[in-house]
Amino acid sequence: DGQDLSNTPYKLGGSGFVEMGWIWETRLAKNSNFARINYGFSFQWNKLNVKDDLYFVQNDDQTTLEEFPDGLRKSQIRVTNLVVPVHFEFGPSTLKEYSNRVRYLNYSKFKFGIGGYAGVRLATQRYLRYKEDGNTVKDKSRRNFNASNFVYGLSAYVGFAQMSLYAKYDLNPLFKDQLVDQHNISLGLRFDLH
């Protein structure tokens, strides 16, 4: 409340999100492929780069951002999830009949999908890079950092052919039991490889 993106402790340009998975598609009507359901599994990597010499510290049940004693060159946290995405997808397709099967092709068509995802956190890693006695130190710490064990959220995409604009919003907070709940929001491109 009362905050904007310029006050965030995260570097918006340096933070990122990648999702890679396998999707199946089932049409919802017997003789039409205009409405279909997409489902599968995927791995999500959410990476937050922290600015202003701050880094994540786990203090019992709380994870806080604290100032690093020396200048940090890099401070980030990465959360890896395994999720099951489900989307209702809408858009035209072309019927292609073969001798033993029927296929609906939507390779060069407009599409719109809306749905969500749910899954579990697989790992959390903090990465720090700084100078100490003239040497570059790279510090990787794997622990839970009180990150939420169960992840779930809403997602949608709109596009043409194999490329779409994609957005997702994590309904679960990034960390458990915090004074202020933080939720990931991600925008980007989605590629469907057939």
Side-chain angles (χ1 to χ4, degrees):
D1 291 336
Q3 299 293 317
D4 59 36
L5 289 177
S6 64
N7 294 332
T8 180
Y10 307 116
K11 296 178 183 176
L12 297 180
S15 299
F17 165 75
V18 174
E19 182 172 352
M20 189 177 342
W22 194 269
I23 298 291
W24 292 274
E25 184 175 282
T26 301
R27 66 180 184 261
L28 296 176
K30 183 177 180 181
N31 296 318
S32 171
N33 192 43
F34 184 79
R36 47 205 175 259
I37 187 168
N38 289 351
Y39 51 92
F41 67 91
S42 62
F43 294 94
Q44 294 179 341
W45 294 273
N46 292 288
K47 178 187 75 161
L48 295 173
N49 280 5
V50 185
K51 59 186 179 183
D52 299 329
D53 288 333
L54 298 174
Y55 73 115
F56 284 100
V57 177
Q58 182 175 343
N59 295 311
D60 299 322
D61 291 342
Q62 295 232 324
T63 298
T64 58
L65 282 170
E66 297 182 8
E67 190 165 347
F68 196 73
D70 294 322
L72 276 171
R73 292 194 173 192
K74 188 175 225 177
S75 173
Q76 70 178 217
I77 195 162
R78 186 179 70 213
V79 180
T80 305
N81 304 319
L82 173 63
V83 299
V84 175
V86 178
H87 292 95
F88 290 99
E89 186 176 276
F90 305 94
S93 59
T94 304
L95 175 65
K96 180 86 173 170
E97 295 188 55
Y98 298 93
S99 60
N100 60 348
R101 68 185 193 276
V102 172
R103 300 288 268 179
Y104 289 91
L105 308 175
N106 55 4
Y107 298 135
S108 58
K109 305 288 185 182
F110 171 82
K111 62 185 168 190
F112 167 72
I114 188 165
Y117 52 92
V120 295
R121 179 181 58 83
L122 297 178
T124 306
Q125 178 178 319
R126 180 188 68 188
Y127 175 75
L128 304 175
R129 189 172 70 213
Y130 55 93
K131 284 276 193 185
E132 185 176 73
D133 298 327
N135 298 314
T136 298
V137 177
K138 296 178 181 178
D139 178 4
K140 293 182 181 179
S141 302
R142 285 184 183 245
R143 48 193 308 197
N144 69 17
F145 287 98
N146 294 313
S148 294
N149 292 323
F150 298 102
V151 295
Y152 50 93
L154 302 172
S155 54
Y157 55 91
V158 60
F160 181 80
Q162 295 177 326
M163 190 169 72
S164 303
L165 294 174
Y166 177 76
K168 81 167 184 72
Y169 178 71
D170 291 353
L171 293 173
N172 64 284
L174 180 59
F175 301 108
K176 300 177 282 189
D177 304 320
Q178 296 299 104
L179 296 175
V180 176
D181 283 344
Q182 300 176 54
H183 300 266
N184 280 321
I185 185 167
S186 303
L187 306 169
L189 296 175
R190 172 183 162 137
F191 297 95
D192 296 322
L193 306 176
H194 298 280

CSV table of all heavy atoms in Angstrom, one decimal, residues 38-57:
chain,number,residue,atom,x,y,z
A,38,ASN,N,-5.8,-27.1,-22.5
A,38,ASN,CA,-4.4,-27.4,-22.5
A,38,ASN,C,-4.0,-27.7,-21.1
A,38,ASN,O,-4.3,-27.0,-20.1
A,38,ASN,CB,-3.6,-26.2,-23.0
A,38,ASN,CG,-3.7,-26.0,-24.5
A,38,ASN,OD1,-4.3,-26.8,-25.2
A,38,ASN,ND2,-3.2,-24.9,-25.0
A,39,TYR,N,-3.2,-28.8,-20.9
A,39,TYR,CA,-2.8,-29.2,-19.6
A,39,TYR,C,-1.5,-29.9,-19.7
A,39,TYR,O,-1.1,-30.4,-20.8
A,39,TYR,CB,-3.8,-30.2,-18.9
A,39,TYR,CG,-4.2,-31.3,-19.9
A,39,TYR,CD1,-3.6,-32.5,-19.8
A,39,TYR,CD2,-5.2,-31.1,-20.8
A,39,TYR,CE1,-3.9,-33.6,-20.7
A,39,TYR,CE2,-5.6,-32.2,-21.7
A,39,TYR,CZ,-4.9,-33.4,-21.6
A,39,TYR,OH,-5.3,-34.4,-22.5
A,40,GLY,N,-0.7,-30.0,-18.6
A,40,GLY,CA,0.6,-30.7,-18.7
A,40,GLY,C,1.4,-30.5,-17.4
A,40,GLY,O,0.8,-30.4,-16.3
A,41,PHE,N,2.7,-30.3,-17.6
A,41,PHE,CA,3.6,-30.1,-16.4
A,41,PHE,C,4.7,-29.2,-16.9
A,41,PHE,O,5.0,-29.2,-18.1
A,41,PHE,CB,4.1,-31.3,-15.8
A,41,PHE,CG,5.1,-32.1,-16.7
A,41,PHE,CD1,6.4,-31.8,-16.7
A,41,PHE,CD2,4.6,-33.0,-17.6
A,41,PHE,CE1,7.3,-32.5,-17.5
A,41,PHE,CE2,5.5,-33.7,-18.5
A,41,PHE,CZ,6.8,-33.4,-18.4
A,42,SER,N,5.2,-28.4,-16.0
A,42,SER,CA,6.3,-27.5,-16.4
A,42,SER,C,7.2,-27.1,-15.2
A,42,SER,O,6.7,-27.2,-14.0
A,42,SER,CB,5.8,-26.2,-17.1
A,42,SER,OG,5.0,-25.5,-16.3
A,43,PHE,N,8.4,-26.7,-15.5
A,43,PHE,CA,9.3,-26.2,-14.4
A,43,PHE,C,9.3,-24.7,-14.6
A,43,PHE,O,9.4,-24.1,-15.7
A,43,PHE,CB,10.7,-26.7,-14.6
A,43,PHE,CG,10.8,-28.2,-14.4
A,43,PHE,CD1,10.7,-29.1,-15.5
A,43,PHE,CD2,11.0,-28.7,-13.1
A,43,PHE,CE1,10.8,-30.5,-15.2
A,43,PHE,CE2,11.1,-30.1,-12.9
A,43,PHE,CZ,11.0,-30.9,-14.0
A,44,GLN,N,9.2,-24.0,-13.4
A,44,GLN,CA,9.3,-22.5,-13.4
A,44,GLN,C,10.5,-22.1,-12.6
A,44,GLN,O,10.8,-22.7,-11.6
A,44,GLN,CB,8.0,-21.9,-12.7
A,44,GLN,CG,6.7,-22.1,-13.3
A,44,GLN,CD,5.6,-21.5,-12.5
A,44,GLN,OE1,5.7,-21.3,-11.3
A,44,GLN,NE2,4.5,-21.3,-13.2
A,45,TRP,N,11.2,-21.1,-13.1
A,45,TRP,CA,12.3,-20.5,-12.4
A,45,TRP,C,12.0,-19.0,-12.3
A,45,TRP,O,11.9,-18.3,-13.3
A,45,TRP,CB,13.6,-20.7,-13.2
A,45,TRP,CG,14.1,-22.1,-13.3
A,45,TRP,CD1,14.8,-22.8,-12.4
A,45,TRP,CD2,13.8,-23.0,-14.4
A,45,TRP,NE1,15.0,-24.1,-12.9
A,45,TRP,CE2,14.4,-24.2,-14.1
A,45,TRP,CE3,13.1,-22.9,-15.6
A,45,TRP,CZ2,14.3,-25.4,-14.9
A,45,TRP,CZ3,13.0,-24.0,-16.4
A,45,TRP,CH2,13.6,-25.2,-16.1
A,46,ASN,N,11.8,-18.6,-11.0
A,46,ASN,CA,11.6,-17.1,-10.7
A,46,ASN,C,12.9,-16.6,-10.1
A,46,ASN,O,13.4,-17.1,-9.1
A,46,ASN,CB,10.5,-17.0,-9.7
A,46,ASN,CG,9.1,-17.3,-10.3
A,46,ASN,OD1,8.6,-16.6,-11.2
A,46,ASN,ND2,8.6,-18.4,-9.9
A,47,LYS,N,13.5,-15.6,-10.7
A,47,LYS,CA,14.7,-15.0,-10.2
A,47,LYS,C,14.5,-13.5,-9.9
A,47,LYS,O,14.0,-12.8,-10.7
A,47,LYS,CB,15.8,-15.2,-11.3
A,47,LYS,CG,17.1,-14.6,-10.9
A,47,LYS,CD,18.1,-14.6,-12.0
A,47,LYS,CE,17.7,-13.5,-13.0
A,47,LYS,NZ,18.8,-13.1,-13.9
A,48,LEU,N,14.9,-13.2,-8.7
A,48,LEU,CA,14.8,-11.8,-8.3
A,48,LEU,C,16.2,-11.2,-8.0
A,48,LEU,O,16.9,-11.7,-7.1
A,48,LEU,CB,13.9,-11.6,-7.0
A,48,LEU,CG,12.4,-12.0,-7.2
A,48,LEU,CD1,11.7,-12.0,-5.8
A,48,LEU,CD2,11.8,-11.1,-8.1
A,49,ASN,N,16.6,-10.2,-8.7
A,49,ASN,CA,17.8,-9.5,-8.4
A,49,ASN,C,17.6,-8.4,-7.5
A,49,ASN,O,16.6,-7.6,-7.7
A,49,ASN,CB,18.5,-9.0,-9.7
A,49,ASN,CG,19.2,-10.1,-10.5
A,49,ASN,OD1,19.2,-11.2,-10.1
A,49,ASN,ND2,19.8,-9.7,-11.6
A,50,VAL,N,18.3,-8.3,-6.4
A,50,VAL,CA,18.1,-7.3,-5.4
A,50,VAL,C,19.1,-6.1,-5.6
A,50,VAL,O,20.2,-6.3,-6.0
A,50,VAL,CB,18.3,-7.9,-4.0
A,50,VAL,CG1,18.0,-6.9,-2.9
A,50,VAL,CG2,17.5,-9.2,-3.8
A,51,LYS,N,18.6,-4.9,-5.3
A,51,LYS,CA,19.5,-3.7,-5.5
A,51,LYS,C,19.9,-3.1,-4.1
A,51,LYS,O,19.4,-3.6,-3.1
A,51,LYS,CB,18.8,-2.7,-6.4
A,51,LYS,CG,17.5,-2.2,-5.9
A,51,LYS,CD,16.8,-1.3,-7.0
A,51,LYS,CE,15.5,-0.8,-6.5
A,51,LYS,NZ,14.8,0.0,-7.5
A,52,ASP,N,20.7,-2.1,-4.2
A,52,ASP,CA,21.1,-1.3,-3.0
A,52,ASP,C,21.8,-2.1,-2.0
A,52,ASP,O,21.6,-1.8,-0.8
A,52,ASP,CB,19.8,-0.6,-2.4
A,52,ASP,CG,19.1,0.3,-3.3
A,52,ASP,OD1,19.8,0.9,-4.2
A,52,ASP,OD2,17.9,0.5,-3.3
A,53,ASP,N,22.7,-3.0,-2.4
A,53,ASP,CA,23.5,-3.8,-1.4
A,53,ASP,C,22.7,-4.5,-0.4
A,53,ASP,O,23.1,-4.8,0.7
A,53,ASP,CB,24.5,-2.9,-0.7
A,53,ASP,CG,25.6,-2.4,-1.7
A,53,ASP,OD1,25.9,-3.2,-2.6
A,53,ASP,OD2,26.2,-1.4,-1.4
A,54,LEU,N,21.5,-4.9,-0.7
A,54,LEU,CA,20.6,-5.7,0.1
A,54,LEU,C,20.7,-7.2,-0.2
A,54,LEU,O,21.0,-7.5,-1.4
A,54,LEU,CB,19.2,-5.2,0.1
A,54,LEU,CG,18.9,-3.8,0.5
A,54,LEU,CD1,17.4,-3.4,0.2
A,54,LEU,CD2,19.2,-3.6,2.0
A,55,TYR,N,20.5,-8.1,0.7
A,55,TYR,CA,20.5,-9.5,0.5
A,55,TYR,C,19.5,-10.2,1.4
A,55,TYR,O,19.2,-9.7,2.5
A,55,TYR,CB,21.9,-10.1,0.6
A,55,TYR,CG,22.5,-10.2,2.0
A,55,TYR,CD1,22.7,-11.5,2.5
A,55,TYR,CD2,22.7,-9.1,2.8
A,55,TYR,CE1,23.2,-11.6,3.8
A,55,TYR,CE2,23.3,-9.3,4.0
A,55,TYR,CZ,23.5,-10.5,4.5
A,55,TYR,OH,24.0,-10.7,5.8
A,56,PHE,N,19.0,-11.4,1.0
A,56,PHE,CA,18.1,-12.1,1.8
A,56,PHE,C,18.7,-12.9,2.9
A,56,PHE,O,19.7,-13.5,2.7
A,56,PHE,CB,17.3,-13.1,0.9
A,56,PHE,CG,16.3,-12.5,0.0
A,56,PHE,CD1,16.6,-12.3,-1.3
A,56,PHE,CD2,15.1,-12.1,0.5
A,56,PHE,CE1,15.7,-11.7,-2.2
A,56,PHE,CE2,14.1,-11.6,-0.3
A,56,PHE,CZ,14.4,-11.3,-1.7
A,57,VAL,N,18.2,-12.7,4.1
A,57,VAL,CA,18.6,-13.4,5.3
A,57,VAL,C,17.4,-14.1,5.9
A,57,VAL,O,16.4,-13.5,6.1
A,57,VAL,CB,19.3,-12.4,6.3
A,57,VAL,CG1,19.7,-13.2,7.6
A,57,VAL,CG2,20.4,-11.7,5.7
